[in-house]
Amino acid sequence: MTGGLQDGRIFLGAETGAGQPEPAFLDLRFANRHGLVAGATGTGKTVTLQALAEGFSRAGVAVLATDIKGDLSGIAAAGTDKPVFRARAEEIGLGAGWQLRASPTIFLDLFGAVGHPVRTTVSEMGPLLLSQLLSLNDVQSGVLSVLFKVADDEGLLVLDLKDLRALLAHLAENASDISARYGQVSKSSIGAIQRALLAFEAEGGDRFFGEPALAVSDLLRTTLDGQGVVSLIDATRLMTTPRLYAAFLLWLLSELFETLPEVGDADRPKLVLFFDEAHLLFDTAPPVLIERIEQVVRLIRSKGVGVYFVTQNPLDLPDSVLGQLGNRVQHALRAFTPRDQRAVKAAADTFRPNPALDTARVLTELGVGEALVSTLEGRGTPSMVRRIAIRPPEGRVGPLTPEERQVLIARSPLAGRYDTPVDRDSAYELLAGRATGKAPGPDAPTGAPGTPAPQQGGLGDLADGLFGTRGRGRLTTGQRVAREVTRTMASEIAGA
C-alpha cells in the first residue's frame, strides 16, 4: 500500500480489536457520488478531512477545500512522527505505508490577504444566480434581467459591484424610456436591489467581483509526478460572512458544471471539493438558493466532480442535499439533551444497518479519531456501517506559520497571475463619461462587442476576443471550454 492507495481505492482506516485489522476503503470509482464528514467539535473531523484530501492527491485527483480554522494549511508541510500517530498506523496495519510528506498546495483567499485572490465578474455570475444570491423576488429578478439586457445592448461591461450600481442608477434615471423598450422597471424594485447589494457588500462581496477572474482550469492541476494539487481557500473570515460563502459555493459549482465536459463513469474524479462548516451555507439560505445548490450537486457528478460536506451534525444539511451523499464518515455525536438524542437517532438511521453494531449507541461512544464509516462499493450500493479507526495524516496536523505560507505563495504556479487587480473601463467609467461628455481614453476598451480584455495579454486577450467578452453576458459552454484552454496555454507559455 503506497500513500494509502490500493487498487484504485483510498485507505480510510481499519476495524481494530482481536485478530487482523479489517481495512476500510473509499473506491475512487464512486468518489464523485459525494460524501459527508460529520461529528461533534473535537472528534477529529478536520484530521479526517486532511487524510481524505491527501489520499485524493496521491491518487492524482485535484482537491479544493475551504480552511475554516486555518489549521488545514499544515497539509502543505511534512508531518512529525508523533507517537500517537505512529501507534495508530501500526494498529490499523498501515506500518511502513505511512510516510511523512507534504502535499502540493496552492493557497487562495477571497479577501486576498493570505492567498491568491479569488474573483469572478458580475457577468460571469449572471442575473439568475445573482438574483438567487440576493434573495430577490420575481419582480426584482425581472428588473435585474432587464439590467443585463440593457448592458448587453449598449455594450457595457459589468465586471464589479460599482458597474452594477452604475447600471442600476442608469435604469432609475431612464426608467420611463427603458420600461417602454424592455418592460416595466420600477424605482422601488431598483431600490430593493440596491439595498440587497449593500448587505452583500458589507460581507465583503465587493472583493469577490472583479478581475482577473479565477479560471477553473487552475483548480484542476496535477504535478509532474502525477499528484493532484490541493487548493486551499482560506475561510477564516467566511464564518462571519455566510452570504459570501454561499456566493462562492454557488458560483463555483455552477462554473464547474457549465465548463467541464461530461465524463460518464470514470475510474476516478477530476476534482473533489470539501466544504467545512457546511451549516453556514444553509442556516440562513433562502429556499431557492438551497434548491439551486441541491440541483447542481445532483448533476455535477457526471462532470467528474465530487462534493464533500463537513459539518457537526448530518441534520445541519437539507434532506435534498443529504440524500445525494453516498460516502459517509460519522464521528462521535453528543447526547446531552433530548434534541441531541433525537439527532443521534436520526444520524444512525441514515446508515445501512449492521447486525453486529448498535449504531446509535456506538455514535456516542466513539473516541477521537474513530468514526462510523459507510462507503459505496460493488455496483454503487452502500456498505454496512462499520466502526473504523481513521488513518493518521502524512502532512502536518496544525497550521503553517505565516512565513511558511508566504514562501509557498511566492513559489506558487499562480504567483503574479491573480494578485494584482485589474480595473479596466467598464459600465461605471463609460456611464460616468456619458454624464460628463467625456469619451474613454484612446487605449481604453469601449465595451463594444468583440473588444479584447486587457487581462492577461497575448493569448489571454485573443481568448476573450474570440470567445465573447465578459461583459456581454454568460458565455456558451463551447465558448467557456475554448476560453479555458486558451488561458491555460497562455499561462504555460508565460511560465515557460
Side-chain angles (χ1 to χ4, degrees), residues 262-284:
E262 296 279 341
V263 296
D265 295 324
D267 60 349
R268 67 193 62 204
K270 293 180 178 179
L271 175 68
V272 169
L273 311 174
F274 290 93
F275 292 103
D276 201 359
E277 299 294 343
H279 67 277
L280 295 174
L281 301 171
F282 302 105
D283 281 350
T284 59

Short mmCIF file of all heavy atoms in Angstrom, two decimals, residues 262-284:
data_model
loop_
_atom_site.label_atom_id
_atom_site.label_comp_id
_atom_site.label_asym_id
_atom_site.label_seq_id
_atom_site.Cartn_x
_atom_site.Cartn_y
_atom_site.Cartn_z
N GLU A 262 -18.91 16.27 -20.00
CA GLU A 262 -19.41 15.03 -19.40
C GLU A 262 -18.32 13.96 -19.49
O GLU A 262 -17.66 13.83 -20.52
CB GLU A 262 -20.66 14.55 -20.14
CG GLU A 262 -21.85 15.49 -20.03
CD GLU A 262 -22.60 15.32 -18.73
OE1 GLU A 262 -22.43 14.26 -18.09
OE2 GLU A 262 -23.36 16.23 -18.36
N VAL A 263 -18.16 13.18 -18.40
CA VAL A 263 -17.15 12.12 -18.41
C VAL A 263 -17.75 10.74 -18.17
O VAL A 263 -17.07 9.73 -18.34
CB VAL A 263 -16.06 12.39 -17.35
CG1 VAL A 263 -15.31 13.66 -17.69
CG2 VAL A 263 -16.64 12.46 -15.96
N GLY A 264 -19.01 10.67 -17.77
CA GLY A 264 -19.63 9.38 -17.51
C GLY A 264 -19.03 8.70 -16.30
O GLY A 264 -18.64 9.34 -15.33
N ASP A 265 -18.91 7.39 -16.35
CA ASP A 265 -18.37 6.61 -15.23
C ASP A 265 -16.86 6.46 -15.41
O ASP A 265 -16.38 5.54 -16.08
CB ASP A 265 -19.04 5.23 -15.15
CG ASP A 265 -20.52 5.34 -14.82
OD1 ASP A 265 -20.87 6.23 -14.03
OD2 ASP A 265 -21.31 4.53 -15.35
N ALA A 266 -16.11 7.37 -14.82
CA ALA A 266 -14.65 7.35 -14.90
C ALA A 266 -14.07 6.55 -13.74
O ALA A 266 -14.76 6.25 -12.76
CB ALA A 266 -14.10 8.77 -14.89
N ASP A 267 -12.77 6.21 -13.84
CA ASP A 267 -12.14 5.42 -12.79
C ASP A 267 -11.80 6.26 -11.57
O ASP A 267 -11.51 5.73 -10.51
CB ASP A 267 -10.89 4.72 -13.31
CG ASP A 267 -9.83 5.71 -13.82
OD1 ASP A 267 -10.15 6.91 -13.96
OD2 ASP A 267 -8.70 5.27 -14.08
N ARG A 268 -11.86 7.58 -11.72
CA ARG A 268 -11.61 8.49 -10.59
C ARG A 268 -12.14 9.87 -10.96
O ARG A 268 -12.25 10.20 -12.14
CB ARG A 268 -10.12 8.56 -10.26
CG ARG A 268 -9.25 9.21 -11.33
CD ARG A 268 -7.78 8.95 -11.04
NE ARG A 268 -7.49 7.53 -11.07
CZ ARG A 268 -6.47 6.96 -10.43
NH1 ARG A 268 -5.64 7.71 -9.72
NH2 ARG A 268 -6.27 5.67 -10.51
N PRO A 269 -12.47 10.69 -9.98
CA PRO A 269 -12.96 12.04 -10.30
C PRO A 269 -11.83 12.94 -10.79
O PRO A 269 -10.65 12.66 -10.60
CB PRO A 269 -13.53 12.53 -8.97
CG PRO A 269 -12.87 11.71 -7.92
CD PRO A 269 -12.52 10.39 -8.55
N LYS A 270 -12.20 14.04 -11.43
CA LYS A 270 -11.24 15.07 -11.83
C LYS A 270 -10.92 16.00 -10.67
O LYS A 270 -9.81 16.50 -10.53
CB LYS A 270 -11.80 15.91 -12.98
CG LYS A 270 -11.99 15.20 -14.29
CD LYS A 270 -12.54 16.18 -15.32
CE LYS A 270 -12.70 15.52 -16.68
NZ LYS A 270 -13.27 16.48 -17.67
N LEU A 271 -11.92 16.24 -9.86
CA LEU A 271 -11.81 17.24 -8.79
C LEU A 271 -12.73 16.84 -7.65
O LEU A 271 -13.84 16.37 -7.87
CB LEU A 271 -12.21 18.62 -9.32
CG LEU A 271 -12.27 19.78 -8.33
CD1 LEU A 271 -10.86 20.13 -7.83
CD2 LEU A 271 -12.92 21.02 -8.97
N VAL A 272 -12.24 17.02 -6.42
CA VAL A 272 -13.06 16.79 -5.24
C VAL A 272 -13.06 18.07 -4.40
O VAL A 272 -12.01 18.67 -4.16
CB VAL A 272 -12.52 15.61 -4.40
CG1 VAL A 272 -13.21 15.54 -3.05
CG2 VAL A 272 -12.73 14.29 -5.15
N LEU A 273 -14.26 18.50 -3.99
CA LEU A 273 -14.43 19.71 -3.20
C LEU A 273 -14.81 19.35 -1.77
O LEU A 273 -15.68 18.50 -1.55
CB LEU A 273 -15.53 20.58 -3.81
CG LEU A 273 -15.46 20.86 -5.32
CD1 LEU A 273 -16.71 21.61 -5.77
CD2 LEU A 273 -14.22 21.64 -5.66
N PHE A 274 -14.17 19.99 -0.80
CA PHE A 274 -14.51 19.83 0.61
C PHE A 274 -14.97 21.18 1.15
O PHE A 274 -14.22 22.16 1.10
CB PHE A 274 -13.30 19.35 1.43
CG PHE A 274 -12.90 17.93 1.16
CD1 PHE A 274 -11.92 17.64 0.21
CD2 PHE A 274 -13.48 16.88 1.85
CE1 PHE A 274 -11.53 16.34 -0.04
CE2 PHE A 274 -13.11 15.57 1.61
CZ PHE A 274 -12.13 15.29 0.66
N PHE A 275 -16.20 21.22 1.68
CA PHE A 275 -16.73 22.45 2.26
C PHE A 275 -16.91 22.25 3.76
O PHE A 275 -17.83 21.54 4.20
CB PHE A 275 -18.04 22.86 1.60
CG PHE A 275 -17.88 23.28 0.16
CD1 PHE A 275 -18.23 22.43 -0.86
CD2 PHE A 275 -17.33 24.51 -0.15
CE1 PHE A 275 -18.07 22.80 -2.18
CE2 PHE A 275 -17.16 24.89 -1.47
CZ PHE A 275 -17.53 24.04 -2.48
N ASP A 276 -16.02 22.86 4.55
CA ASP A 276 -16.07 22.72 6.01
C ASP A 276 -17.14 23.66 6.59
O ASP A 276 -17.50 24.66 5.96
CB ASP A 276 -14.70 23.06 6.59
CG ASP A 276 -14.50 22.48 7.99
OD1 ASP A 276 -15.43 21.83 8.51
OD2 ASP A 276 -13.40 22.66 8.55
N GLU A 277 -17.61 23.30 7.78
CA GLU A 277 -18.67 24.07 8.46
C GLU A 277 -19.83 24.33 7.49
O GLU A 277 -20.28 25.47 7.30
CB GLU A 277 -18.11 25.38 9.02
CG GLU A 277 -17.01 25.20 10.05
CD GLU A 277 -17.49 24.53 11.34
OE1 GLU A 277 -18.71 24.49 11.57
OE2 GLU A 277 -16.63 24.04 12.10
N ALA A 278 -20.31 23.25 6.90
CA ALA A 278 -21.31 23.37 5.83
C ALA A 278 -22.62 23.98 6.32
O ALA A 278 -23.39 24.51 5.51
CB ALA A 278 -21.57 22.00 5.21
N HIS A 279 -22.89 23.92 7.62
CA HIS A 279 -24.15 24.50 8.11
C HIS A 279 -24.22 26.00 7.83
O HIS A 279 -25.31 26.57 7.71
CB HIS A 279 -24.31 24.25 9.61
CG HIS A 279 -23.31 24.99 10.45
ND1 HIS A 279 -22.04 24.52 10.67
CD2 HIS A 279 -23.40 26.17 11.12
CE1 HIS A 279 -21.39 25.37 11.45
NE2 HIS A 279 -22.18 26.39 11.72
N LEU A 280 -23.05 26.65 7.70
CA LEU A 280 -23.04 28.08 7.40
C LEU A 280 -23.69 28.37 6.06
O LEU A 280 -24.21 29.46 5.82
CB LEU A 280 -21.60 28.61 7.40
CG LEU A 280 -20.83 28.57 8.73
CD1 LEU A 280 -19.39 29.00 8.51
CD2 LEU A 280 -21.51 29.46 9.76
N LEU A 281 -23.64 27.39 5.16
CA LEU A 281 -24.19 27.58 3.82
C LEU A 281 -25.71 27.51 3.81
O LEU A 281 -26.36 28.04 2.91
CB LEU A 281 -23.65 26.51 2.87
CG LEU A 281 -22.13 26.47 2.70
CD1 LEU A 281 -21.73 25.23 1.92
CD2 LEU A 281 -21.64 27.71 1.99
N PHE A 282 -26.28 26.83 4.81
CA PHE A 282 -27.70 26.52 4.74
C PHE A 282 -28.54 27.13 5.86
O PHE A 282 -29.77 27.17 5.76
CB PHE A 282 -27.90 25.00 4.75
CG PHE A 282 -27.19 24.29 3.64
CD1 PHE A 282 -26.04 23.56 3.87
CD2 PHE A 282 -27.67 24.35 2.34
CE1 PHE A 282 -25.38 22.91 2.84
CE2 PHE A 282 -27.02 23.71 1.30
CZ PHE A 282 -25.88 22.99 1.55
N ASP A 283 -27.91 27.61 6.93
CA ASP A 283 -28.67 28.12 8.07
C ASP A 283 -29.59 29.26 7.68
O ASP A 283 -30.75 29.32 8.10
CB ASP A 283 -27.72 28.57 9.19
CG ASP A 283 -27.19 27.39 10.00
OD1 ASP A 283 -27.71 26.27 9.80
OD2 ASP A 283 -26.26 27.58 10.80
N THR A 284 -29.06 30.20 6.90
CA THR A 284 -29.83 31.39 6.55
C THR A 284 -30.12 31.48 5.06
O THR A 284 -30.59 32.50 4.58
CB THR A 284 -29.08 32.66 6.99
OG1 THR A 284 -27.79 32.69 6.35
CG2 THR A 284 -28.87 32.68 8.50
#
